[in-house]
Amino acid sequence: MTGLGKLADRETDAALGGAFAKGSTAHTHPADDIALSDDEKHPRALSDSKTKKPKDKDIKPDAVTLDIQKRSEKYQRGTPAKQKGKEKARSKTAQAKLTHARNQRDAAVLEAARSEALLTEESGFMEAEHMERTYKVTQKDLASHVDISSAAKIFDLSLPDFGPYSLSYTPNGRHMLIGGRKGHIACMNWRSGKLGCELHLRETVRDVCWLHNDQLFAVAQKKHAFIYDHTGAEVHCLQKHIEPTALGFLPYHFLLASTGMTGRLVYQDITEGKVVGEHKPGYGPTHVLEVSPYNAVVHMGHANGVVTLWSPQQSLPLAKMLCHKGPVQAMAIDSTGKHVATSGLDGRVKVWDIRMFRSLHEYTTLRPAQSLDISQRGLLAAGWGPNVTVWKDALTTQATDPYMRRQLPGSTISDLKFVPYDDVLGYGHSAGISSMVVPGAGEPNFDAFVANPFETRKQRQESEVKSLLDKLAPDTVQLDPMFIGRIDPRSYSQRQHNRLVDARDEYSKNKADGKYVDNNVKNKMKGRNSTAKRFNRKRQSNVVDLKKVLEMEKLEREMRETDTKRRKVPEQEQGALSKFYAERRNE
């Protein structure tokens, strides 16, 4: 150690020694102490007695907390099972797992509610003043009052040689796919105007559909359904889809559903290539098929006005609704899966509550609507004849006047679709493709984990891999998607008791129906169909067990007694010595 270090240590020791010395001299003189009261000697007891900590129940939540609690209600998924007392779990490990899962669920709901504070975009509708009407505002008027990027979304593509056209948008609303009835196929980034591919199949095209992203799409052609990639190369020919007229895709199950002139509903897994379901409703050819975004149940509209709901793994429909007196022409399902809009040849557009299978209200069009669609914000659009009509708040209430309207003289609307996450409605007609701006139609805030309109190539690849890893099984498609992971609140003994009661009731019912033959009542038969011979025929001939041996010995003994009774007894065996002859015969 250096000299400066030794000097510093000495000074530190001297200072500490002086401090200890002062402390010791202060305690050695009690006269110098200051007289303290009892409260001053115990300041902690004084603070506890004067200031009480408020309980959690007494604290009133502020405005921010109340707002978060209100927002968190819509993020709740199901209701937790009710548990009482010590019956929560059989072990501490199981109880810890339940508590951890409950805490994770509550934390996820809270984070989802708090994240809404970052959603700065708000949806807005077009409002009219005084005696004005919103449906009288033309697209030309809107283009002069909106920004340049929004005005560029109003366009018309003149394609009169290959129409009428059907169209489809990717889940993020970035790419558009169009298909002409005479074989013209094209996909493009409609916002930037970049063409992806263009095909002339020289064959009838009835419907087009994007698959899980903008890399693959399906086309319903004259004889079969085909899958193409974004460059226009043919990838697969789906020969199980015979003469398809409508296509639908289940994004979380990777299933392609189709129906056609044969009237069959076919589900095919595009990742494995196998058919996971094929059903025949029995109502003839159909061209109306829609997939619910809520529970992935396929809705089919038939020529007799019936709408059927289907699941891949069930041979019978989940439900049936009689919606119209004539053929069903079009159908649309909202994003929540609660409302369904249908149109028929009777000229009516009906809105149904799918939870109660009840009609809420209806609208009338001068001509039957050939296409329907519901936007993310609940706007209902109908294409009938050369007209496109949009109703606002048409699902929950009866709208008296339309929200917007557009007419294309000399054309017939064949298909229309709202663009996800944008205030744009695209529709195909006999003269090409058109697009119009509908304020308030799209969701202003998007979730990048679900659909990202600005995703890069790397993000698209990562989302594709993640969606393949999270792929759901076909048997998870049900009317109530919350049935997965539901806990049975009954105890083990109660479940066993209910199972025994059900088995006893089933046995009693089958016995009353005559499925079980009573031994005391059955007819005793001899010969070829006797009970013993029928039983022996059922048994395997190469299996020998104790029961079969005893039955064979009994059968031989009965046969010997029968032969003895039937044969004639000689005269020398009769008389007093007959019992000795009988014993010899039995030997």
Side-chain angles (χ1 to χ4, degrees):
M1 184 179 293
T2 60
L4 294 176
K6 292 180 180 180
L7 181 62
D9 291 340
R10 291 175 184 175
E11 292 176 356
T12 304
D13 294 337
L16 291 174
F20 284 121
K22 292 179 182 178
S24 60
T25 54
H27 285 287
T28 54
H29 298 282
D32 297 335
D33 291 340
I34 301 174
L36 300 176
S37 61
D38 294 339
D39 294 339
E40 291 176 346
K41 291 179 181 179
H42 304 283
R44 183 174 181 180
L46 178 63
S47 61
D48 292 344
S49 61
K50 291 184 179 181
T51 59
K52 295 182 179 180
K53 293 183 178 181
K55 298 181 180 180
D56 295 339
K57 297 181 179 179
D58 299 336
I59 299 176
K60 295 183 179 181
D62 54 358
V64 177
T65 306
L66 292 175
D67 185 42
I68 293 177
Q69 291 177 357
K70 184 178 180 181
R71 291 180 178 180
S72 61
E73 293 178 358
K74 63 181 179 181
Y75 295 103
Q76 296 287 346
R77 294 295 182 266
T79 56
K82 295 183 180 180
Q83 300 171 344
K84 299 180 181 180
K86 298 180 180 180
E87 298 179 358
K88 293 183 178 180
R90 292 180 178 270
S91 63
K92 293 183 178 179
T93 304
Q95 181 60 35
K97 290 182 179 179
L98 291 175
T99 305
H100 180 66
R102 191 181 305 110
N103 294 338
Q104 279 189 330
R105 183 178 64 251
D106 296 341
V109 170
L110 184 60
E111 290 298 328
R114 287 177 175 175
S115 64
E116 286 193 5
L118 302 177
L119 305 180
T120 57
E121 300 292 336
E122 295 182 359
S123 61
F125 295 95
M126 184 169 52
E127 300 291 341
E129 296 180 355
H130 306 294
M131 300 298 293
E132 295 181 354
R133 296 291 182 267
T134 55
Y135 60 85
K136 293 184 178 181
V137 179
T138 63
Q139 293 296 306
K140 186 177 180 180
D141 297 336
L142 280 177
S144 60
H145 290 83
V146 297
D147 56 290
I148 299 176
S149 61
S150 298
K153 298 174 183 178
I154 304 174
F155 61 86
D156 292 305
L157 295 179
S158 180
L159 301 169
D161 299 331
F162 304 102
Y165 278 85
S166 58
L167 73 162
S168 176
Y169 291 96
T170 52
N172 58 8
R174 190 172 181 176
H175 293 80
M176 179 175 64
L177 174 67
I178 63 175
R181 183 61 59 89
K182 297 180 182 179
H184 180 218
I185 302 294
C187 66
M188 66 193 78
N189 186 339
W190 68 276
R191 286 178 177 151
S192 62
K194 183 179 179 181
L195 181 64
C197 69
E198 187 174 8
L199 303 173
H200 290 275
L201 302 177
R202 298 181 181 180
E203 193 178 34
T204 302
V205 173
R206 299 187 181 96
D207 195 10
V208 292
C209 175
W210 284 108
L211 298 186
H212 56 286
N213 55 21
D214 59 346
Q215 299 298 301
L216 295 173
F217 60 88
V219 179
Q221 297 181 204
K222 183 179 180 180
K223 293 184 178 180
H224 303 288
F226 290 81
I227 295 180
Y228 298 89
D229 64 357
H230 65 286
T231 62
E234 180 181 332
V235 179
H236 295 290
C237 174
L238 309 178
Q239 297 184 358
K240 290 291 185 179
H241 303 256
I242 303 173
E243 297 183 2
T245 56
L247 299 174
F249 184 70
L250 284 64
Y252 298 105
H253 304 77
F254 283 84
L255 297 178
L256 179 65
S258 74
T259 185
M261 303 302 294
T262 60
R264 291 179 176 271
L265 174 62
V266 182
Y267 290 90
Q268 188 158 3
D269 193 334
I270 65 169
T271 60
E272 301 177 3
K274 64 179 181 180
V275 177
V276 299
E278 187 173 359
H279 312 305
K280 188 175 182 180
Y283 295 114
T286 179
H287 64 279
V288 180
L289 185 146
E290 290 292 334
V291 180
S292 174
Y294 175 67
N295 51 17
V297 173
V298 172
H299 296 59
M300 293 179 61
H302 303 282
N304 59 352
V306 175
V307 174
T308 55
L309 282 65
W310 295 89
S311 175
Q313 298 294 324
Q314 297 188 16
S315 59
L316 297 177
L318 302 176
K320 294 182 181 179
M321 295 189 303
L322 180 60
C323 299
H324 297 275
K325 297 180 180 179
V328 179
Q329 293 296 107
M331 191 181 346
I333 307 171
D334 70 334
S335 58
T336 61
K338 299 178 181 178
H339 300 93
V340 176
T342 60
S343 66
L345 278 180
D346 53 1
R348 299 178 183 273
V349 177
K350 295 184 179 181
V351 179
W352 301 80
D353 190 338
I354 203 65
R355 296 169 295 180
M356 299 182 292
F357 301 102
R358 183 171 61 88
S359 176
L360 300 179
H361 38 264
E362 62 182 37
Y363 303 92
T364 304
T365 55
L366 298 180
R367 295 172 62 179
Q370 298 296 325
S371 181
L372 296 174
D373 196 23
I374 300 176
S375 71
Q376 294 175 325
R377 303 295 296 177
L379 298 182
L380 175 61
W384 51 280
N387 302 282
V388 176
T389 305
V390 181
W391 288 281
K392 176 185 174 184
D393 299 331
L395 303 180
T396 56
T397 59
Q398 178 78 34
T400 56
D401 295 327
Y403 176 58
M404 294 196 70
R405 181 187 298 168
R406 191 178 185 187
Q407 187 176 16
L408 295 175
S411 300
T412 302
I413 306 298
S414 57
D415 192 12
L416 55 82
K417 290 289 188 299
F418 280 103
V419 180
Y421 307 101
D422 207 338
D423 296 342
V424 177
L425 172 65
Y427 49 94
H429 47 86
S430 58
I433 297 293
S434 300
S435 176
M436 60 182 292
V437 173
V438 182
E443 179 67 33
N445 301 288
F446 62 91
D447 188 354
F449 290 102
V450 178
N452 186 6
F454 309 101
E455 68 179 358
T456 61
R457 181 180 179 182
K458 186 67 175 178
Q459 290 174 342
R460 175 181 55 77
Q461 294 174 351
E462 292 178 354
S463 63
E464 185 175 6
V465 173
K466 183 178 179 182
S467 59
L468 285 171
L469 294 175
D470 296 338
K471 174 186 170 184
L472 299 178
D475 55 358
T476 58
V477 179
Q478 296 292 336
L479 282 177
D480 184 12
M482 297 299 177
F483 80 99
I484 303 176
R486 187 173 294 170
I487 300 176
D488 192 350
R490 299 177 300 174
S491 62
Y492 178 77
S493 59
Q494 183 66 25
R495 293 197 300 269
Q496 289 291 104
H497 175 72
N498 294 346
R499 193 178 295 111
L500 292 175
V501 171
D502 296 340
R504 193 180 298 112
D505 294 343
E506 183 179 1
Y507 175 79
S508 302
K509 182 180 178 181
N510 293 338
K511 188 175 181 180
D513 295 340
K515 294 184 178 181
Y516 303 133
V517 181
D518 195 353
N519 295 329
N520 299 326
V521 181
K522 68 180 181 180
N523 298 326
K524 294 184 178 180
M525 302 174 61
K526 294 182 180 180
R528 190 172 185 181
N529 289 326
S530 63
T531 305
K533 290 187 176 181
R534 280 186 298 171
F535 181 80
N536 291 330
R537 283 199 301 267
K538 292 181 181 179
R539 306 282 293 180
Q540 296 181 5
S541 60
N542 58 346
V543 177
V544 180
D545 56 355
L546 179 61
K547 188 175 181 181
K548 186 174 181 179
V549 172
L550 295 176
E551 289 172 355
M552 294 300 295
E553 292 178 355
K554 181 180 179 181
L555 182 60
E556 291 178 359
R557 187 168 56 253
E558 290 176 356
M559 292 176 63
R560 285 199 306 266
E561 291 176 359
T562 304
D563 293 339
T564 303
K565 291 179 181 179
R566 288 181 178 179
R567 80 182 184 92
K568 295 181 179 180
V569 181
E571 294 181 358
Q572 64 271 15
E573 295 181 7
Q574 297 179 2
L577 300 178
S578 60
K579 62 179 182 180
F580 297 102
Y581 292 99
E583 292 177 359
R584 183 183 299 176
R585 288 193 302 267
N586 292 335
E587 294 176 357

